[in-house]
């Protein structure tokens, strides 16, 4: 069983930045972030492999950056130029033979 511990969410003003962290209990190749806004389906934000290959949703490119520290089994999501429509629960995922999800962290972008 893989455990994922997320941190870094909160309230930020439009145009601001946040950095999310997700620490996994074991080493796992592919990790990433999804998000779910109220009344909407969960959507991809970004994923990253152990070798550093990244994949972003088109709407996140240029504003969000995913990275990881393999020594710490931790993946990060740097979010810049945040918009109110980025408000959602951001959920960390680990993708091995099974898919594991964290509990999620709330990001609210509001003035």
């Amino acid at each position: 069983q893989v455990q994922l511990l997320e941190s870094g969410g909160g309230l930020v003003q439009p145009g601001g930045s946040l950095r999310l962290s997700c620490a996994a209990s074991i080493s796992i190749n592919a990790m990433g972030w999804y998000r779910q806004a109220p009344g909407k389906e969960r959507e991809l934000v970004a994923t990253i492999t152990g070798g550093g290959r990244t994949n972003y949703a088109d709407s996140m490119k240029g504003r969000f950056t995913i990275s990881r520290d393999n020594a710490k089994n931790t993946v990060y999501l740097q979010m810049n130029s945040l918009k109110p429509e980025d408000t959602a629960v951001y959920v960390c995922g680990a993708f091995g033979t099974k898919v594991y999800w964290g509990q999620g962290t709330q990001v609210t972008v509001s003035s």
Side-chain angles (χ1 to χ4, degrees), residues 10-16 18 82-87 107-111:
L11 173 64
V12 63
Q13 292 186 344
L18 280 176
L82 283 162
K83 306 173 183 179
E85 51 264 44
D86 294 317
T87 295
V107 172
T108 302
V109 185
S110 175
S111 56

Side-chain angles (χ1 to χ4, degrees), residues 16-71:
S17 299
L18 280 176
R19 188 192 194 209
L20 306 183
S21 299
C22 173
S25 56
I26 63 171
S27 175
I28 193 162
N29 184 41
M31 297 181 68
W33 292 93
Y34 281 66
R35 70 183 187 185
Q36 187 163 16
K40 295 187 177 181
E41 294 186 353
R42 184 174 291 184
E43 64 174 347
L44 169 72
V45 176
T47 59
I48 186 169
T49 67
R53 179 173 295 180
T54 59
N55 178 50
Y56 293 89
D58 287 342
S59 62
M60 321 303 175
K61 290 179 180 178
R63 298 191 301 125
F64 292 5
T65 302
I66 191 169
S67 61
R68 67 188 291 165
D69 184 335
N70 290 333

Side-chain angles (χ1 to χ4, degrees), residues 1-12:
Q1 184 76 12
V2 178
Q3 294 181 336
L4 302 172
L5 181 61
E6 300 135 321
S7 61
L11 173 64
V12 63

